[in-house]
Amino acid sequence: VTLLIILSVEFIIGILGNAFMALVNIRGWVKRGKISVVDQILTALAISRIAFLLLIIIIILIYELCPALLITEKMIRITNASWILTNHFSIWLATCLSIFYFLKIANFSSSLFLYLRWRVKNVVLVTLLVSLLIFFVNIIDPDQEDLPFAALMVTLLIILSVEFIIGILGNAFMALVNIMGWVKRGKTSFVDQILTALAISRIAFLLLVISIVLISALCPALLITEKMIRIINASWILTNHFSNWLATCLSIFYFLKIANFSSFLFLYLKWRVKNVVLVTLLVSLFIFFVNIIIINTYIDVWNDHYKANTSNSSITSNAQLHKLVLPTNTIFVLIPFTVTLITFFLLIFSLWKHLKNIQNNDKGSQDVNITAHIKTLQMVVAFLLLYTVFFLALAFQSWNNNPHHRNTAHMFSVDTGLVFPSGHSYVLILGNNKLRQGFLSLMWWVRCKLNVAILGFLDH
């Protein structure tokens, strides 16, 4: 009873002290509109310690009220991950605070020390990044992986996180600029509509991939239930389908707008470019439903086989379904890839014919058309390269026999595949005058804000 009273008093004192520290700093931040580095560290430290104290109390209560719950695999994973997370940041933020005070107060004549003292904020950030690396190494099961493997997995996870952040920011910027222009002017061009829909579909695709990775890491048993398998496959096919086909429609649009052929059929299609894109999307919807039907058929067969053959483990059965689903999805991805490849070669042929006509007629006034051809070709080449990487990553996943999230080959293929939806958004931003100007303005604004923040920190 005495120990429980001491524990309760420590918990109340800890929650009140850390809550007070966090609230005072947050209130000052809201009131002044800015916050110092040391207050940021103190606030983050207080929040992490509140989370740590709450976790300890919850574990004790569960142990007292329902001890059997703590021995389940899912609960063990959640408890360990939560404890490592809260304890890790509680300790490392306190360490960063001591480093900050040391660099601010200590006096040494060493040029290295003076350099670190001048860049104390960067030193703290680098320390936190190193602590993140240590956190990822810590959270990987030590009985399953050795240190080199753990380091490789952490590297792949960091790359995945960077790709996710870059992809979300790039596609969100593209969507927001077009939507704001639409609201401001009351209308939007057809190409902006495609770009906006493409950006939204890729944001959904990236969020889905990250969600699958997180579920695989925290609760892998959830991924082998029939309902979850159907939801994940349908969501993946939907987001990936529109991400690929809207990009293909964009290449068709640019091809019909810029290429030059004397064929009556081409001129008819060029004049009705909007209808061509809409028909392409309608055809892609038919392909989408065929894809869904085939995959659901595979899942039905797999489910019947899994229920009939109880001797197979869930992991083996899931791998068998993986061998059926991914090759089929890869074949369906090949269709828009082939369409884009055809438009690319037709665009090259159009440019070749145009250059030949210029040489024969010796007209310098056609340079604008050449520039448009070359600019579009650059965008299509970058698109095809990224698309090829994505297709090869899917093909590799189809060939890989172990789709588990802890398999380095699988994680590498996921990292490689995300290059396409993340990187292509920046190709489109740089290739579009309105988006490029908005992006450069945003970078200039961020740079100015950073300079003001740095100057304010140095003055402080």
Side-chain angles (χ1 to χ4, degrees), residues 73 77 81 136 139-141 144-145 149-150 152-158 160 208-224 232 315 318-319 322 326 396-397 400-415:
E73 181 189 354
R77 287 184 182 276
F136 283 120
I139 207 167
I140 293 175
D141 296 340
Q144 294 184 7
E145 290 95 2
F149 183 86
L152 179 59
M153 286 297 295
V154 168
T155 305
L156 292 173
L157 286 170
I158 291 172
L160 180 69
L208 176 68
V209 171
I210 290 297
S211 300
I212 294 171
V213 172
L214 290 174
I215 293 171
S216 299
L218 299 175
C219 189
L222 189 62
L223 290 177
I224 60 174
I232 288 175
I315 296 174
N318 196 32
H322 171 84
L326 265 179
F396 178 78
Q397 286 187 37
N400 183 25
N401 292 323
N402 187 4
H404 197 263
H405 75 283
R406 291 193 184 279
N407 180 264
T408 52
H410 176 71
M411 283 301 299
F412 177 77
S413 63
V414 173
D415 285 355

Short mmCIF file of all heavy atoms in Angstrom, two decimals, residues 73 77 81 136 139-141 144-145 149-150 152-158 160 208-224 232 315 318-319 322 326 396-397 400-415:
data_model
loop_
_atom_site.label_atom_id
_atom_site.label_comp_id
_atom_site.label_asym_id
_atom_site.label_seq_id
_atom_site.Cartn_x
_atom_site.Cartn_y
_atom_site.Cartn_z
N GLU A 73 0.53 -11.48 -28.16
CA GLU A 73 1.60 -10.98 -29.04
C GLU A 73 1.36 -9.52 -29.44
O GLU A 73 2.28 -8.69 -29.40
CB GLU A 73 1.70 -11.84 -30.30
CG GLU A 73 2.79 -11.39 -31.25
CD GLU A 73 2.74 -12.11 -32.58
OE1 GLU A 73 1.91 -13.04 -32.73
OE2 GLU A 73 3.52 -11.74 -33.48
N ARG A 77 3.80 -6.31 -28.43
CA ARG A 77 4.40 -5.42 -29.45
C ARG A 77 4.04 -3.95 -29.17
O ARG A 77 4.90 -3.07 -29.22
CB ARG A 77 3.91 -5.82 -30.85
CG ARG A 77 4.51 -7.11 -31.37
CD ARG A 77 4.05 -7.36 -32.80
NE ARG A 77 4.56 -8.61 -33.32
CZ ARG A 77 5.77 -8.76 -33.87
NH1 ARG A 77 6.57 -7.72 -33.97
NH2 ARG A 77 6.16 -9.93 -34.32
N ALA A 81 6.79 -1.17 -28.02
CA ALA A 81 7.02 -0.05 -28.93
C ALA A 81 6.70 1.28 -28.25
O ALA A 81 7.45 2.26 -28.40
CB ALA A 81 6.17 -0.22 -30.20
N PHE A 136 15.26 3.44 -34.15
CA PHE A 136 14.86 2.42 -35.12
C PHE A 136 15.64 1.12 -34.92
O PHE A 136 15.10 0.03 -35.06
CB PHE A 136 15.05 2.93 -36.55
CG PHE A 136 13.98 3.89 -36.98
CD1 PHE A 136 14.28 5.19 -37.36
CD2 PHE A 136 12.65 3.51 -37.01
CE1 PHE A 136 13.30 6.08 -37.75
CE2 PHE A 136 11.65 4.39 -37.40
CZ PHE A 136 11.98 5.67 -37.77
N ILE A 139 14.10 -0.62 -31.88
CA ILE A 139 12.75 -1.17 -32.01
C ILE A 139 12.71 -2.45 -32.84
O ILE A 139 11.75 -3.21 -32.79
CB ILE A 139 11.79 -0.10 -32.61
CG1 ILE A 139 10.35 -0.38 -32.15
CG2 ILE A 139 11.88 -0.07 -34.13
CD1 ILE A 139 9.41 0.74 -32.41
N ILE A 140 13.76 -2.72 -33.63
CA ILE A 140 13.82 -3.95 -34.41
C ILE A 140 14.16 -5.11 -33.48
O ILE A 140 15.01 -4.99 -32.61
CB ILE A 140 14.85 -3.84 -35.55
CG1 ILE A 140 14.37 -2.80 -36.56
CG2 ILE A 140 15.07 -5.17 -36.24
CD1 ILE A 140 15.35 -2.51 -37.65
N ASP A 141 13.51 -6.25 -33.65
CA ASP A 141 13.70 -7.39 -32.75
C ASP A 141 15.14 -7.86 -32.77
O ASP A 141 15.63 -8.30 -33.82
CB ASP A 141 12.79 -8.56 -33.16
CG ASP A 141 11.32 -8.19 -33.02
OD1 ASP A 141 11.04 -7.25 -32.28
OD2 ASP A 141 10.48 -8.87 -33.64
N GLN A 144 15.98 -11.54 -34.04
CA GLN A 144 15.75 -11.91 -35.44
C GLN A 144 16.76 -11.28 -36.37
O GLN A 144 16.99 -11.78 -37.46
CB GLN A 144 14.35 -11.46 -35.87
CG GLN A 144 13.23 -12.22 -35.16
CD GLN A 144 11.86 -11.82 -35.68
OE1 GLN A 144 11.74 -11.09 -36.65
NE2 GLN A 144 10.83 -12.31 -35.01
N GLU A 145 17.36 -10.20 -36.04
CA GLU A 145 18.26 -9.51 -36.94
C GLU A 145 19.57 -9.18 -36.25
O GLU A 145 19.61 -8.87 -35.07
CB GLU A 145 17.63 -8.19 -37.43
CG GLU A 145 16.47 -8.37 -38.39
CD GLU A 145 15.14 -8.34 -37.68
OE1 GLU A 145 15.14 -8.14 -36.46
OE2 GLU A 145 14.12 -8.57 -38.35
N PHE A 149 22.06 -6.01 -40.50
CA PHE A 149 20.71 -6.10 -41.05
C PHE A 149 19.82 -5.01 -40.48
O PHE A 149 19.03 -4.39 -41.20
CB PHE A 149 20.13 -7.48 -40.73
CG PHE A 149 18.76 -7.71 -41.32
CD1 PHE A 149 18.61 -8.17 -42.61
CD2 PHE A 149 17.63 -7.45 -40.57
CE1 PHE A 149 17.36 -8.36 -43.16
CE2 PHE A 149 16.37 -7.63 -41.11
CZ PHE A 149 16.24 -8.10 -42.41
N ALA A 150 19.94 -4.78 -39.17
CA ALA A 150 19.14 -3.74 -38.53
C ALA A 150 19.47 -2.37 -39.10
O ALA A 150 18.58 -1.56 -39.35
CB ALA A 150 19.40 -3.75 -37.02
N LEU A 152 20.61 -1.75 -42.09
CA LEU A 152 20.05 -1.69 -43.45
C LEU A 152 18.56 -1.43 -43.41
O LEU A 152 18.04 -0.60 -44.18
CB LEU A 152 20.35 -3.01 -44.18
CG LEU A 152 19.81 -3.13 -45.61
CD1 LEU A 152 20.38 -2.04 -46.50
CD2 LEU A 152 20.12 -4.51 -46.19
N MET A 153 17.85 -2.09 -42.49
CA MET A 153 16.42 -1.87 -42.38
C MET A 153 16.10 -0.44 -41.96
O MET A 153 15.17 0.17 -42.47
CB MET A 153 15.82 -2.85 -41.36
CG MET A 153 15.71 -4.28 -41.86
SD MET A 153 14.60 -4.45 -43.28
CE MET A 153 13.04 -4.01 -42.56
N VAL A 154 16.90 0.09 -41.04
CA VAL A 154 16.70 1.48 -40.60
C VAL A 154 16.92 2.44 -41.76
O VAL A 154 16.16 3.39 -41.96
CB VAL A 154 17.65 1.81 -39.42
CG1 VAL A 154 17.67 3.31 -39.16
CG2 VAL A 154 17.21 1.07 -38.18
N THR A 155 17.97 2.18 -42.55
CA THR A 155 18.25 3.03 -43.73
C THR A 155 17.08 3.01 -44.70
O THR A 155 16.65 4.05 -45.21
CB THR A 155 19.52 2.55 -44.43
OG1 THR A 155 20.61 2.53 -43.50
CG2 THR A 155 19.88 3.46 -45.60
N LEU A 156 16.54 1.81 -44.96
CA LEU A 156 15.40 1.68 -45.88
C LEU A 156 14.16 2.38 -45.32
O LEU A 156 13.40 3.00 -46.08
CB LEU A 156 15.11 0.20 -46.13
CG LEU A 156 16.17 -0.58 -46.93
CD1 LEU A 156 15.83 -2.06 -46.97
CD2 LEU A 156 16.31 -0.03 -48.34
N LEU A 157 13.97 2.30 -44.01
CA LEU A 157 12.82 2.98 -43.39
C LEU A 157 12.96 4.50 -43.45
O LEU A 157 11.98 5.21 -43.68
CB LEU A 157 12.68 2.53 -41.93
CG LEU A 157 12.12 1.12 -41.70
CD1 LEU A 157 12.25 0.72 -40.25
CD2 LEU A 157 10.66 1.04 -42.14
N ILE A 158 14.19 4.98 -43.28
CA ILE A 158 14.42 6.43 -43.37
C ILE A 158 14.17 6.91 -44.80
O ILE A 158 13.54 7.95 -45.03
CB ILE A 158 15.86 6.77 -42.93
CG1 ILE A 158 16.01 6.55 -41.41
CG2 ILE A 158 16.20 8.22 -43.27
CD1 ILE A 158 17.42 6.67 -40.91
N LEU A 160 12.21 5.49 -46.97
CA LEU A 160 10.76 5.42 -47.16
C LEU A 160 10.07 6.65 -46.56
O LEU A 160 9.18 7.23 -47.18
CB LEU A 160 10.23 4.15 -46.51
CG LEU A 160 8.72 3.91 -46.61
CD1 LEU A 160 8.32 3.59 -48.04
CD2 LEU A 160 8.29 2.77 -45.69
N LEU A 208 -1.83 5.19 -48.32
CA LEU A 208 -2.16 3.76 -48.24
C LEU A 208 -0.92 2.91 -48.05
O LEU A 208 -0.90 1.99 -47.22
CB LEU A 208 -2.91 3.34 -49.52
CG LEU A 208 -3.25 1.85 -49.61
CD1 LEU A 208 -4.28 1.47 -48.56
CD2 LEU A 208 -3.75 1.50 -51.01
N VAL A 209 0.14 3.21 -48.82
CA VAL A 209 1.38 2.43 -48.71
C VAL A 209 1.97 2.54 -47.30
O VAL A 209 2.37 1.54 -46.70
CB VAL A 209 2.40 2.88 -49.77
CG1 VAL A 209 3.76 2.24 -49.52
CG2 VAL A 209 1.91 2.52 -51.17
N ILE A 210 2.01 3.77 -46.77
CA ILE A 210 2.54 3.96 -45.42
C ILE A 210 1.67 3.25 -44.39
O ILE A 210 2.18 2.66 -43.42
CB ILE A 210 2.65 5.47 -45.09
CG1 ILE A 210 3.77 6.10 -45.92
CG2 ILE A 210 2.90 5.70 -43.62
CD1 ILE A 210 5.16 5.56 -45.63
N SER A 211 0.36 3.29 -44.56
CA SER A 211 -0.55 2.59 -43.64
C SER A 211 -0.29 1.09 -43.65
O SER A 211 -0.27 0.44 -42.59
CB SER A 211 -2.01 2.86 -44.02
OG SER A 211 -2.29 4.24 -43.96
N ILE A 212 -0.08 0.51 -44.83
CA ILE A 212 0.20 -0.93 -44.94
C ILE A 212 1.52 -1.27 -44.25
O ILE A 212 1.62 -2.28 -43.53
CB ILE A 212 0.23 -1.36 -46.42
CG1 ILE A 212 -1.15 -1.23 -47.05
CG2 ILE A 212 0.72 -2.80 -46.56
CD1 ILE A 212 -1.19 -1.42 -48.54
N VAL A 213 2.54 -0.43 -44.45
CA VAL A 213 3.83 -0.66 -43.81
C VAL A 213 3.71 -0.61 -42.29
O VAL A 213 4.27 -1.45 -41.57
CB VAL A 213 4.88 0.36 -44.32
CG1 VAL A 213 6.18 0.26 -43.51
CG2 VAL A 213 5.19 0.13 -45.79
N LEU A 214 2.96 0.37 -41.79
CA LEU A 214 2.79 0.51 -40.34
C LEU A 214 2.00 -0.67 -39.75
O LEU A 214 2.36 -1.19 -38.68
CB LEU A 214 2.08 1.82 -40.01
CG LEU A 214 2.88 3.10 -40.25
CD1 LEU A 214 2.01 4.33 -40.02
CD2 LEU A 214 4.10 3.15 -39.32
N ILE A 215 0.95 -1.09 -40.45
CA ILE A 215 0.18 -2.25 -39.97
C ILE A 215 1.04 -3.50 -39.98
O ILE A 215 0.99 -4.32 -39.06
CB ILE A 215 -1.09 -2.44 -40.84
CG1 ILE A 215 -2.06 -1.28 -40.64
CG2 ILE A 215 -1.78 -3.76 -40.49
CD1 ILE A 215 -3.22 -1.28 -41.61
N SER A 216 1.87 -3.65 -41.03
CA SER A 216 2.77 -4.81 -41.11
C SER A 216 3.76 -4.82 -39.96
O SER A 216 4.13 -5.88 -39.45
CB SER A 216 3.53 -4.78 -42.45
OG SER A 216 2.65 -4.85 -43.53
N ALA A 217 4.21 -3.62 -39.54
CA ALA A 217 5.20 -3.54 -38.47
C ALA A 217 4.57 -3.75 -37.09
O ALA A 217 5.15 -4.42 -36.24
CB ALA A 217 5.91 -2.19 -38.53
N LEU A 218 3.38 -3.18 -36.87
CA LEU A 218 2.78 -3.19 -35.54
C LEU A 218 1.85 -4.38 -35.31
O LEU A 218 1.81 -4.92 -34.20
CB LEU A 218 2.00 -1.89 -35.31
CG LEU A 218 2.84 -0.61 -35.36
CD1 LEU A 218 1.94 0.62 -35.23
CD2 LEU A 218 3.90 -0.61 -34.26
N CYS A 219 1.11 -4.76 -36.35
CA CYS A 219 0.15 -5.85 -36.18
C CYS A 219 0.04 -6.67 -37.48
O CYS A 219 -0.96 -6.57 -38.20
CB CYS A 219 -1.21 -5.27 -35.79
SG CYS A 219 -2.40 -6.52 -35.30
N PRO A 220 1.07 -7.48 -37.79
CA PRO A 220 1.08 -8.22 -39.06
C PRO A 220 -0.06 -9.23 -39.18
O PRO A 220 -0.48 -9.54 -40.30
CB PRO A 220 2.44 -8.93 -39.04
CG PRO A 220 2.86 -8.95 -37.61
CD PRO A 220 2.28 -7.72 -36.99
N ALA A 221 -0.57 -9.74 -38.04
CA ALA A 221 -1.66 -10.73 -38.09
C ALA A 221 -2.92 -10.14 -38.70
O ALA A 221 -3.75 -10.87 -39.26
CB ALA A 221 -1.95 -11.25 -36.68
N LEU A 222 -3.07 -8.82 -38.61
CA LEU A 222 -4.27 -8.16 -39.15
C LEU A 222 -4.32 -8.23 -40.67
O LEU A 222 -5.40 -8.20 -41.26
CB LEU A 222 -4.29 -6.69 -38.69
CG LEU A 222 -5.57 -5.89 -38.95
CD1 LEU A 222 -6.75 -6.50 -38.21
CD2 LEU A 222 -5.38 -4.44 -38.54
N LEU A 223 -3.15 -8.34 -41.31
CA LEU A 223 -3.09 -8.31 -42.77
C LEU A 223 -3.50 -9.62 -43.42
O LEU A 223 -3.65 -9.68 -44.64
CB LEU A 223 -1.67 -7.95 -43.23
CG LEU A 223 -1.21 -6.50 -42.98
CD1 LEU A 223 0.23 -6.33 -43.41
CD2 LEU A 223 -2.10 -5.52 -43.71
N ILE A 224 -3.63 -10.69 -42.64
CA ILE A 224 -3.95 -11.99 -43.24
C ILE A 224 -5.43 -12.35 -43.07
O ILE A 224 -5.85 -13.44 -43.45
CB ILE A 224 -3.08 -13.11 -42.65
CG1 ILE A 224 -3.28 -13.22 -41.14
CG2 ILE A 224 -1.62 -12.89 -42.98
CD1 ILE A 224 -2.56 -14.39 -40.51
N ILE A 232 -7.47 -3.89 -48.53
CA ILE A 232 -6.15 -3.40 -48.94
C ILE A 232 -5.96 -3.55 -50.44
O ILE A 232 -5.49 -2.63 -51.12
CB ILE A 232 -5.04 -4.14 -48.17
CG1 ILE A 232 -5.02 -3.66 -46.72
CG2 ILE A 232 -3.68 -3.93 -48.83
CD1 ILE A 232 -4.05 -4.41 -45.84
N ILE A 315 1.21 -17.61 -42.92
CA ILE A 315 2.26 -16.92 -43.67
C ILE A 315 2.44 -17.55 -45.04
O ILE A 315 2.55 -16.87 -46.06
CB ILE A 315 3.59 -16.94 -42.88
CG1 ILE A 315 3.43 -16.15 -41.58
CG2 ILE A 315 4.73 -16.36 -43.70
CD1 ILE A 315 4.62 -16.23 -40.66
N ASN A 318 -0.58 -16.76 -47.19
CA ASN A 318 -0.53 -15.37 -47.63
C ASN A 318 0.47 -15.19 -48.76
O ASN A 318 0.25 -14.40 -49.69
CB ASN A 318 -0.16 -14.48 -46.44
CG ASN A 318 -0.46 -13.02 -46.71
OD1 ASN A 318 -1.40 -12.71 -47.43
ND2 ASN A 318 0.33 -12.13 -46.15
N ALA A 319 1.60 -15.89 -48.68
CA ALA A 319 2.61 -15.84 -49.74
C ALA A 319 2.06 -16.40 -51.05
O ALA A 319 2.38 -15.90 -52.14
CB ALA A 319 3.86 -16.60 -49.32
N HIS A 322 -0.07 -13.80 -52.51
CA HIS A 322 0.85 -12.77 -53.01
C HIS A 322 1.36 -13.10 -54.40
O HIS A 322 1.47 -12.23 -55.27
CB HIS A 322 2.01 -12.64 -52.01
CG HIS A 322 3.13 -11.78 -52.47
ND1 HIS A 322 3.12 -10.41 -52.32
CD2 HIS A 322 4.31 -12.08 -53.09
CE1 HIS A 322 4.24 -9.91 -52.82
NE2 HIS A 322 4.97 -10.89 -53.27
N LEU A 326 0.04 -10.02 -57.16
CA LEU A 326 1.00 -9.03 -57.67
C LEU A 326 1.32 -9.18 -59.15
O LEU A 326 1.37 -8.17 -59.87
CB LEU A 326 2.29 -9.08 -56.84
CG LEU A 326 2.35 -8.06 -55.71
CD1 LEU A 326 3.64 -8.20 -54.93
CD2 LEU A 326 2.22 -6.64 -56.21
N PHE A 396 9.61 -6.99 -59.49
CA PHE A 396 10.48 -7.62 -58.50
C PHE A 396 9.68 -8.14 -57.32
O PHE A 396 9.95 -9.24 -56.81
CB PHE A 396 11.54 -6.62 -58.01
CG PHE A 396 12.46 -7.17 -56.96
CD1 PHE A 396 13.50 -8.02 -57.31
CD2 PHE A 396 12.26 -6.87 -55.62
CE1 PHE A 396 14.34 -8.55 -56.34
CE2 PHE A 396 13.10 -7.38 -54.65
CZ PHE A 396 14.14 -8.23 -55.02
N GLN A 397 8.68 -7.38 -56.87
CA GLN A 397 7.83 -7.85 -55.79
C GLN A 397 7.05 -9.09 -56.20
O GLN A 397 6.80 -9.98 -55.38
CB GLN A 397 6.85 -6.74 -55.36
CG GLN A 397 7.50 -5.62 -54.57
CD GLN A 397 6.47 -4.64 -54.04
OE1 GLN A 397 5.38 -5.01 -53.65
NE2 GLN A 397 6.82 -3.36 -54.03
N ASN A 400 9.58 -11.86 -55.92
CA ASN A 400 10.05 -12.10 -54.55
C ASN A 400 9.09 -13.05 -53.83
O ASN A 400 7.88 -12.84 -53.79
CB ASN A 400 10.14 -10.77 -53.80
CG ASN A 400 10.69 -10.95 -52.39
OD1 ASN A 400 11.40 -11.91 -52.12
ND2 ASN A 400 10.37 -10.02 -51.51
N ASN A 401 9.65 -14.07 -53.23
CA ASN A 401 8.83 -15.09 -52.56
C ASN A 401 8.48 -14.74 -51.12
O ASN A 401 7.68 -15.42 -50.49
CB ASN A 401 9.57 -16.45 -52.56
CG ASN A 401 9.68 -17.01 -53.96
OD1 ASN A 401 8.76 -16.88 -54.76
ND2 ASN A 401 10.81 -17.63 -54.27
N ASN A 402 9.12 -13.71 -50.57
CA ASN A 402 8.88 -13.34 -49.18
C ASN A 402 8.40 -11.89 -49.11
O ASN A 402 9.21 -10.97 -49.09
CB ASN A 402 10.16 -13.51 -48.36
CG ASN A 402 9.92 -13.30 -46.87
OD1 ASN A 402 8.78 -13.09 -46.43
ND2 ASN A 402 10.98 -13.33 -46.09
N PRO A 403 7.07 -11.68 -49.08
CA PRO A 403 6.54 -10.31 -49.06
C PRO A 403 6.50 -9.69 -47.67
O PRO A 403 5.83 -8.69 -47.46
CB PRO A 403 5.12 -10.51 -49.61
CG PRO A 403 4.74 -11.87 -49.13
CD PRO A 403 6.00 -12.69 -49.12
N HIS A 404 7.17 -10.31 -46.69
CA HIS A 404 7.11 -9.80 -45.31
C HIS A 404 7.80 -8.47 -45.19
O HIS A 404 8.80 -8.21 -45.86
CB HIS A 404 7.76 -10.83 -44.37
CG HIS A 404 7.39 -10.61 -42.93
ND1 HIS A 404 8.19 -9.92 -42.06
CD2 HIS A 404 6.29 -10.98 -42.21
CE1 HIS A 404 7.63 -9.88 -40.86
NE2 HIS A 404 6.47 -10.52 -40.93
N HIS A 405 7.29 -7.61 -44.30
CA HIS A 405 7.82 -6.25 -44.17
C HIS A 405 9.25 -6.24 -43.66
O HIS A 405 9.96 -5.26 -43.85
CB HIS A 405 6.91 -5.43 -43.25
CG HIS A 405 7.06 -5.76 -41.80
ND1 HIS A 405 6.51 -6.88 -41.24
CD2 HIS A 405 7.71 -5.11 -40.80
CE1 HIS A 405 6.80 -6.92 -39.96
NE2 HIS A 405 7.52 -5.86 -39.66
N ARG A 406 9.70 -7.31 -42.97
CA ARG A 406 11.06 -7.34 -42.44
C ARG A 406 12.05 -7.90 -43.46
O ARG A 406 13.24 -8.00 -43.16
CB ARG A 406 11.10 -8.16 -41.15
CG ARG A 406 10.39 -7.48 -40.00
CD ARG A 406 10.72 -8.17 -38.69
NE ARG A 406 9.98 -7.59 -37.59
CZ ARG A 406 10.32 -6.49 -36.96
NH1 ARG A 406 11.38 -5.82 -37.34
NH2 ARG A 406 9.59 -6.02 -35.97
N ASN A 407 11.58 -8.27 -44.62
CA ASN A 407 12.45 -8.73 -45.68
C ASN A 407 13.07 -7.52 -46.38
O ASN A 407 12.34 -6.66 -46.88
CB ASN A 407 11.64 -9.59 -46.66
CG ASN A 407 12.49 -10.10 -47.80
OD1 ASN A 407 12.50 -9.48 -48.86
ND2 ASN A 407 13.19 -11.18 -47.58
N THR A 408 14.40 -7.45 -46.41
CA THR A 408 15.07 -6.25 -46.96
C THR A 408 14.78 -6.08 -48.44
O THR A 408 14.66 -4.95 -48.92
CB THR A 408 16.59 -6.34 -46.73
OG1 THR A 408 17.07 -7.60 -47.22
CG2 THR A 408 16.93 -6.22 -45.26
N ALA A 409 14.70 -7.21 -49.17
CA ALA A 409 14.41 -7.12 -50.61
C ALA A 409 13.04 -6.50 -50.84
O ALA A 409 12.85 -5.67 -51.74
CB ALA A 409 14.49 -8.50 -51.25
N HIS A 410 12.07 -6.90 -50.02
CA HIS A 410 10.72 -6.34 -50.15
C HIS A 410 10.71 -4.85 -49.82
O HIS A 410 10.10 -4.04 -50.54
CB HIS A 410 9.75 -7.09 -49.23
CG HIS A 410 8.37 -6.55 -49.22
ND1 HIS A 410 7.52 -6.68 -50.29
CD2 HIS A 410 7.69 -5.82 -48.28
CE1 HIS A 410 6.36 -6.09 -50.00
NE2 HIS A 410 6.45 -5.55 -48.80
N MET A 411 11.39 -4.47 -48.73
CA MET A 411 11.44 -3.06 -48.34
C MET A 411 12.16 -2.22 -49.39
O MET A 411 11.78 -1.08 -49.68
CB MET A 411 12.15 -2.91 -46.99
CG MET A 411 11.29 -3.28 -45.80
SD MET A 411 9.77 -2.30 -45.68
CE MET A 411 10.44 -0.67 -45.52
N PHE A 412 13.21 -2.80 -50.00
CA PHE A 412 13.93 -2.09 -51.06
C PHE A 412 13.03 -1.86 -52.26
O PHE A 412 13.05 -0.77 -52.87
CB PHE A 412 15.17 -2.89 -51.48
CG PHE A 412 15.93 -2.27 -52.62
CD1 PHE A 412 16.76 -1.16 -52.40
CD2 PHE A 412 15.81 -2.77 -53.90
CE1 PHE A 412 17.45 -0.58 -53.45
CE2 PHE A 412 16.51 -2.20 -54.95
CZ PHE A 412 17.33 -1.11 -54.72
N SER A 413 12.23 -2.86 -52.62
CA SER A 413 11.31 -2.70 -53.76
C SER A 413 10.23 -1.67 -53.45
O SER A 413 9.81 -0.91 -54.34
CB SER A 413 10.68 -4.05 -54.12
OG SER A 413 9.88 -4.53 -53.05
N VAL A 414 9.77 -1.60 -52.19
CA VAL A 414 8.79 -0.58 -51.79
C VAL A 414 9.41 0.82 -51.91
O VAL A 414 8.79 1.74 -52.45
CB VAL A 414 8.29 -0.83 -50.35
CG1 VAL A 414 7.40 0.34 -49.89
CG2 VAL A 414 7.50 -2.12 -50.29
N ASP A 415 10.64 0.97 -51.41
CA ASP A 415 11.35 2.25 -51.52
C ASP A 415 11.52 2.66 -52.98
O ASP A 415 11.31 3.83 -53.35
CB ASP A 415 12.72 2.16 -50.85
CG ASP A 415 12.61 2.19 -49.33
OD1 ASP A 415 11.50 2.37 -48.83
OD2 ASP A 415 13.64 2.03 -48.66
#
